[in-house]
Amino acid sequence: MNSPDKDIILIVDDSPNNLEVLSDTLIDAGFEVAVATDGETAIEQIEYSPPSLILLDIMMPGIDGFETCRRLKGNPSSQNIPVIFMTALADTLDKVKGLNLGAVDYIVKPFRQEEVLARVRVHLKLYTLTKTLEDKNKTLLKEIEQRIAAEAKLQKLAEELEQRVEERTTKLTEALDNWQKAHTILVQNEKMFSLGQMIAGVAHEINNPVSSIHGNISYAKNYVRDLLQLIELYAKYYPSPQSEIQEKTKDIELDFLREDLPKLLNSMELGTDRICQIISSLRNFSRIKSGSMITVDIHQHLDSTLVLLQHRLKQAGKRPGIEMIKEYGNIPPVECDPGLLNQVFTNIITNAIDALEEADFRSYNLEGFTKDRKMPTIWIRTELSDNDRVAIRIMDNGPGIPVEIQPRLFEPFFTTKPFGKGTGLGLSICQDIVVDKHGGKLSFLSLPGEGTEFTVELLIR
Ligand SMILES: Nc1ncnc2c1ncn2[C@@H]1O[C@H](COP(=O)(O)OP(=O)(O)OP(=O)(O)O)[C@@H](O)[C@H]1O
Ligand SMILES: [Mg+2]
């Protein structure tokens, strides 16, 4: 039986004498010994009980030591076992041949005990060290492989993480953008709402006194007419009144007064008429509480908006008055939030007026327009589109929008107007109202040098 911690040395030799001498030497030195008397038996033996080292004689019956060595080295299970040849002193060729076949060393016959033991020990040590190194190498290689795999996995995870972070960042930036936009729009809407409430209050306060003036003017006109007729009758029947009356008649320029007073009253009536119209538009514009969807006549709201913007259409400086052409089509009532829609119309029409103010009007002749000179004009056209939508088109023949800024028009805070004039929120609010709040469509077409057309499309429900 083999002891597990003892090294087994296999001696292969056909000479019983040699076997005995070597066995004794090795056993005395503490090794375990196995023997074989020819190459083939040795190979078989090694197959089922591999030794730690082989001492191999060259000259043997059957296959010789060289052949035995070649076969052992050709077999993966035995190729690493160190082989020491045993050779006669003079056989240099044998020594070289043996080493070339993979032997680690040779021992010269006749043996010297210390030399045999020394060589066996050295080679066993070398063998153990080599084996340990190989094992370590294998473990290291395995570790390296595992580490490479782990690193690849880590790298993949890092990439995935980076991608996720990037996606999150994009989403967060988008959310922040949306929030900022929503916030500004909210603030703006809030401002519009408070302004609307204030306007409604003021309009209400002014309405009563103005209505009473307006209502009384027709009475005043009748009274004045009666009084003037009475004066005429007096003049007819008393052609030569007292000198004091004659003087007063001259003083007050009665003839001019009789002619001018009715005109004056008429223009006062027209003035109050216009104030009443404005008040009614103001109330129409502002009393509608935002957030309520009702069915309305779009034309009525367009008209209210126009009344309030009337003052901006008048001639100003070198710019002639802006002509407003309304081409209202036959459209059904539309369900919408009229307070918000008024904001949309105001913003788009104001933009058109601003654009016409920007235009170069040096070519206009205020006294008279020739046919080829264009008048600053705004067209408002309404029509049914695709039977399920109404389209409200607001066109101007201003300078148009440069192609390079067209994609940025709806961005909040994008403006080309000087600081203090435009906030750049107008169109982004319009988009929010038309698209997000009404499910409609807001688009534009612009030809630089020709003009611009904005179209609001609303679904008929
Ligand atoms: N009809 C138009 N013709 C030419 N340019 C226009 C017209 N409408 C809009 N624009 C351009 O689009 C820009 C953005 O318009 P938007 O209404 O959003 O902001 P704004 O008018 O500059 O400022 P705000 O409306 O807040 O007072 C304007 O500054 C202008 O350059
Ligand atoms: Mg604007």
Side-chain angles (χ1 to χ4, degrees), residues 397-418:
N397 57 354
I401 304 166
V403 177
E404 61 275 16
I405 67 163
Q406 288 189 8
R408 304 193 53 199
L409 239 53
F410 295 111
E411 273 178 28
F413 303 112
F414 176 79
T415 180
T416 54
K417 293 169 193 170

Side-chain angles (χ1 to χ4, degrees), residues 215-226:
N216 286 333
I217 282 180
S218 53
Y219 294 112
K221 269 168 76 180
N222 287 343
Y223 295 157
V224 165
R225 191 195 57 217
D226 291 348

Side-chain angles (χ1 to χ4, degrees), residues 94-114:
D94 281 356
K95 289 176 202 165
V96 174
K97 191 175 174 190
L99 291 173
N100 279 344
L101 278 171
V104 290
D105 208 348
Y106 55 87
I107 316 174
V108 179
K109 293 182 199 171
F111 308 117
R112 282 177 52 214
Q113 275 188 13
E114 309 79 53

Side-chain angles (χ1 to χ4, degrees), residues 198-460:
M198 199 184 81
I199 290 173
V202 172
H204 178 78
E205 287 304 311
I206 299 175
N207 190 44
N208 288 341
V210 170
S211 302
S212 109
I213 294 172
H214 186 66
N216 286 333
I217 282 180
S218 53
Y219 294 112
K221 269 168 76 180
N222 287 343
Y223 295 157
V224 165
R225 191 195 57 217
D226 291 348
L227 285 173
L228 289 178
Q229 280 172 357
L230 187 67
I231 289 171
E232 256 176 57
L233 280 179
Y234 269 115
K236 188 175 166 188
Y237 294 108
Y238 303 99
S240 319
Q242 298 286 316
S243 61
E244 200 181 337
I245 295 180
Q246 280 183 27
E247 256 169 53
K248 190 69 185 172
T249 306
K250 213 171 156 197
D251 247 19
I252 61 171
E253 296 178 66
L254 184 64
D255 285 343
F256 175 74
L257 190 150
R258 275 161 59 182
E259 203 182 305
D260 201 43
L261 189 53
K263 282 192 202 161
L264 200 131
L265 284 169
N266 272 342
S267 89
M268 276 167 78
E269 196 176 30
L270 273 179
T272 50
D273 208 34
R274 170 111 184 93
I275 296 176
C276 288
Q277 222 182 30
I278 292 175
I279 289 172
S280 138
S281 292
L282 278 175
R283 299 174 90 190
N284 196 2
F285 197 88
S286 57
R287 78 167 159 229
I288 315 135
K289 197 168 160 278
S290 187
S292 49
M293 296 290 265
I294 50 175
T295 307
V296 300
D297 172 10
I298 292 284
H299 295 151
Q300 193 194 331
H301 286 275
L302 280 168
D303 286 342
S304 289
T305 308
L306 286 177
V307 167
L308 296 180
L309 290 173
Q310 203 66 38
H311 67 286
R312 290 210 55 200
L313 301 177
K314 292 196 188 115
Q315 182 213 323
K318 284 197 161 186
R319 170 176 71 69
I322 295 170
E323 194 179 344
M324 182 67 68
I325 301 178
K326 292 194 270 185
E327 294 168 4
Y328 290 171
N330 192 10
I331 56 167
V334 176
E335 196 194 10
C336 63
D337 182 329
L340 293 180
L341 264 203
N342 284 344
Q343 276 191 51
V344 172
F345 299 146
T346 310
N347 273 322
I348 298 177
I349 298 171
T350 306
N351 279 349
I353 297 172
D354 286 347
L356 289 168
E357 264 166 8
E358 286 293 299
D360 186 1
F361 291 105
R362 273 171 301 189
S363 58
Y364 289 99
N365 172 359
L366 290 183
E367 272 75 54
F369 289 94
T370 55
K371 273 207 178 109
D372 53 332
R373 283 189 180 133
K374 62 173 187 177
M375 278 275 284
T377 308
I378 294 174
W379 291 263
I380 300 184
R381 189 174 295 158
T382 58
E383 64 200 19
L384 206 59
S385 121
D386 292 343
N387 270 328
D388 64 343
R389 266 169 293 163
V390 295
I392 301 121
R393 302 184 196 282
I394 297 166
M395 288 170 278
D396 66 71
N397 57 354
I401 304 166
V403 177
E404 61 275 16
I405 67 163
Q406 288 189 8
R408 304 193 53 199
L409 239 53
F410 295 111
E411 273 178 28
F413 303 112
F414 176 79
T415 180
T416 54
K417 293 169 193 170
F419 182 74
K421 184 144 195 281
T423 61
L425 280 175
L427 287 177
S428 86
I429 289 175
C430 290
Q431 197 181 40
D432 179 63
I433 293 173
V434 175
V435 180
D436 300 345
K437 301 225 161 60
H438 287 82
K441 206 175 139 194
L442 175 63
S443 55
F444 69 90
L445 257 177
S446 184
L447 273 184
E450 296 288 326
T452 305
E453 172 184 295
F454 274 84
T455 304
V456 177
E457 283 174 273
L458 298 171
L459 279 171
I460 310 167

Side-chain angles (χ1 to χ4, degrees), residues 28-49:
D28 286 350
F31 293 105
E32 201 166 304
V33 172
V35 292
T37 48
D38 62 77
E40 266 155 350
T41 320
I43 290 168
E44 267 172 40
Q45 215 167 304
I46 290 163
E47 198 58 39
Y48 62 82
S49 168

